[in-house]
Amino acid sequence: MIKMNNVAKHFSGNQVLTDVTFAVKEREIFGLLGPSGAGKTTIINILTNQLDADSGNHSIGVAAFNTGLMLDADGLYPRLSCLDNLYVFTGIYGISKQKAMEALENVGLTYAAKKSVSSLSKGMRQRLSLARAILHQPKVLFLDEPTGGLDPNTARGIHKLIMNLRDKGATIFLTTHNMEEAVKLCDHVALLHKGKIVEHGVPLEICERHNAVKTVPDLGAVFIKLTGVESI
């Protein structure tokens, strides 16, 4: 469904990505793991044609209008209500306004439909951004740090929604620096360090290869072993 082959990218002489290669199967959750600055957002921007790669090739197995995108910079309109924010995009997508309320219901925000975005907590903004991303029921969904900075309870709610979307047929590309989150959610993961993929595969199998399974798989320990980075 999603492929990258030998993709490289640099900015102002700094190499950001080097020979990045991976494939994501249809109807799976794929996790791209690494610390801030590793190149995760750059990969999403290339896959969604917001940036051009210097070399290599990439593809997504659906038309552009069948993709959804949730970035850290949410781009919400602060003076508009939650519902009116989504109405902007029902117009763009040419879909029924009823889909806006359905999306709010899916993320547990129907009670805040008339609230202005400026009055929302960060967790509520994250959920609204996710509602916008799934408004048109995309076949492929890109989520860039969807639970970053959220409290554990809010993060668990978003995890549940992500798994429900996968179960309903979506292919989900997830970036995170939370190794526990990746083990919980992802069918396959790739570990990214300084623009290079240093390991990839099924989370449990990666941990078994590197003797990082005790009571639970520990991808963090694998990352430290491979890169020498003490924190992610």
Side-chain angles (χ1 to χ4, degrees):
M1 179 61 77
I2 303 172
K3 293 181 180 179
M4 260 196 170
N5 294 303
N6 302 117
V7 167
K9 181 67 179 178
H10 76 279
F11 295 108
S12 302
N14 296 317
Q15 195 70 29
V16 179
L17 301 176
T18 303
D19 294 329
V20 173
T21 298
F22 60 80
V24 182
K25 296 178 181 178
E26 187 176 2
R27 300 183 69 165
E28 78 166 342
I29 301 175
F30 178 87
L32 184 63
L33 285 63
S36 297
K40 302 188 301 296
T41 301
T42 300
I43 287 175
I44 283 185
N45 287 340
I46 290 173
L47 284 170
T48 55
N49 295 316
Q50 298 177 78
L51 275 177
D52 292 327
D54 296 335
S55 59
N57 57 77
H58 60 88
S59 64
I60 301 176
V62 296
F65 62 82
N66 273 329
T67 64
L69 180 62
M70 176 185 175
L71 296 176
D72 184 51
D74 56 46
L76 297 169
Y77 299 103
R79 296 184 181 181
L80 297 183
S81 69
C82 294
L83 197 56
D84 286 338
N85 262 271
L86 297 187
Y87 283 162
V88 171
F89 286 86
T90 59
I92 291 172
Y93 291 127
I95 58 179
S96 167
K97 284 189 173 182
Q98 180 61 33
K99 296 294 184 182
M101 188 57 78
E102 290 175 8
L104 289 179
E105 184 177 357
N106 284 333
V107 301
L109 278 181
T110 52
Y111 70 94
K114 297 297 184 179
K115 286 187 176 182
S116 67
V117 167
S118 61
S119 69
L120 302 182
S121 67
K122 180 172 182 178
M124 293 170 73
R125 288 180 70 114
Q126 290 278 78
R127 284 188 281 161
L128 180 58
S129 182
L130 183 54
R132 186 183 60 193
I134 65 174
L135 185 64
H136 57 304
Q137 299 176 318
K139 295 294 185 182
V140 175
L141 186 61
F142 291 94
L143 304 177
D144 192 10
E145 305 279 0
T147 60
L150 300 184
D151 65 86
N153 189 54
T154 302
R156 281 192 294 271
I158 289 182
H159 289 168
K160 183 178 180 180
L161 178 57
I162 290 171
M163 289 186 286
N164 286 341
L165 291 168
R166 186 270 313 275
D167 292 343
K168 290 179 180 178
T171 301
I172 298 171
F173 187 101
L174 169 76
T175 73
T176 182
H177 61 265
N178 185 326
M179 299 297 173
E180 182 180 349
E181 177 175 79
V183 169
K184 181 184 297 183
L185 292 178
C186 297
D187 301 294
H188 292 87
V189 299
L191 307 185
L192 188 70
H193 177 57
K194 295 182 178 179
K196 297 181 180 180
I197 291 179
V198 296
E199 182 60 283
H200 60 89
V202 176
L204 179 59
E205 292 176 356
I206 291 174
C207 292
E208 287 175 341
R209 284 200 293 271
H210 296 276
N211 298 314
V213 177
K214 296 179 183 178
T215 56
V216 294
D218 189 350
L219 283 173
V222 174
F223 196 89
I224 292 169
K225 178 180 178 181
L226 291 172
T227 67
V229 174
E230 292 297 328
S231 61
I232 298 172

